[in-house]
């Protein structure tokens, strides 16, 4: 997995390696390759019949050129936004529940069933994202991919449970919770939370972070 490859315009290229933690500069060689002076790694561009670069070979590893949908950066931005929305929704529903029970606040506009589905959905989504974040921060990527332990296997099944919550949430997001400003405001917030959960599900599906990827 490579990050962005940048042509510096002076015969050098800059490649981001996630495991290294910083971009590495590669200088051009006379034989058409690029080499990094720090690690000695060599890079070769592989082109198709039209001369378009389709792959990049780094030593013995070959990496595919990916488009926008397969790039990591857009997904990372979308998932981080979804994480913030889910965290705010979880805090809001938790705070609302405690306020109604402890301080006799007005009853919620959203019914019990939609609230339960939403609360479970955002809770599982937060567990999924935080769980993967902790794994990536504490274990090498290669170890995660080639030796999934029990925690990893449990996390891979969470998108299925999240999808079960997301289906009725989508329906409630469309039909709403009644008329009036409070009901409309609640519907918008609920729909935004549902959209955040769907984004995480699309992320999990696209990057094969689900049990069906093993079939």
């Amino acid at each position: 997995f490579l990050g962005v490859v940048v042509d510096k315009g002076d015969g050098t290229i800059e490649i981001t390696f996630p495991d290294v933690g910083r971009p590495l500069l590669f200088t051009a060689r006379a034989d058409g390759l690029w080499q990094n002076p720090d690690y000695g790694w060599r890079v070769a561009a592989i082109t198709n019949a039209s001369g378009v670069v389709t792959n990049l070979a780094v030593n013995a590893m070959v990496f595919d050129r990916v488009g926008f949908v397969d790039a990591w950066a857009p997904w990372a931005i979308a998932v981080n936004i979804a994480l913030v929305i889910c965290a705010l929704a979880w805090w809001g529903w938790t705070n609302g529940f405690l306020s109604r029970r402890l301080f006799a606040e007005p009853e919620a506009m959203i019914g019990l069933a939609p609230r339960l589905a939403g609360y479970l959905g955002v809770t599982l989504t937060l567990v999924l994202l935080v769980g993967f974040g902790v794994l990536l921060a504490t274990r090498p990527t290669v170890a995660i991919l080639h030796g999934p332990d029990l925690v990893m296997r449990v996390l891979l099944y969470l998108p299925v449970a999240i999808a079960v919550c997301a289906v009725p949430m989508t329906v409630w997001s469309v039909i709403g919770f009644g008329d009036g400003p409070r009901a409309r405001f609640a519907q918008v917030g609920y729909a935004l939370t549902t959209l955040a959960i769907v984004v995480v599900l699309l992320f999990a599906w696209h990057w094969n972070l689900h049990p069906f990827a093993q079939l």
Side-chain angles (χ1 to χ4, degrees), residues 3 24 31 38 46 61 70 79 88 104 107 111 133 141-142 145-146 149 197 201 212:
L24 296 182
D31 56 2
D38 299 322
I46 302 174
M61 299 176 292
D70 295 315
V79 169
L88 291 175
E107 286 299 316
T141 306
V142 174
L145 294 177
H146 294 282
D149 55 15
I197 291 176
L201 288 175
F212 307 112

Side-chain angles (χ1 to χ4, degrees), residues 57-162:
V58 181
N59 287 347
M61 299 176 292
V62 179
F63 299 90
D64 296 329
R65 184 174 187 172
V66 298
F68 181 81
V69 175
D70 295 315
W72 178 257
W75 282 109
I77 295 173
V79 169
N80 276 283
I81 293 175
L83 175 62
V84 172
I85 292 174
C86 287
L88 291 175
W90 188 90
W91 178 86
W93 280 329
T94 301
N95 182 66
F97 174 81
L98 295 176
S99 297
R100 287 189 297 273
R101 294 299 176 270
L102 300 177
F103 305 107
E105 293 287 337
E107 286 299 316
M109 293 299 302
I110 303 175
L112 179 60
R115 271 185 289 138
L116 287 176
Y119 194 82
L120 181 59
V122 297
T123 301
L124 293 176
T125 301
L126 291 174
V127 171
L128 175 70
L129 295 179
V130 173
F132 275 125
V134 171
L135 280 180
L136 291 174
T138 57
R139 296 183 58 190
T141 306
V142 174
I144 296 174
L145 294 177
H146 294 282
D149 55 15
L150 179 60
V151 175
M152 180 67 172
R153 295 183 188 278
V154 171
L155 290 175
L156 290 176
Y157 277 93
L158 286 185
V160 179
I162 296 171

Side-chain angles (χ1 to χ4, degrees), residues 4-20:
V4 179
V5 180
V6 179
D7 183 357
K8 305 295 289 185
D10 58 357
T12 63
I13 58 176
E14 192 176 70
I15 305 177
T16 302
F17 294 85
D19 292 339
V20 176

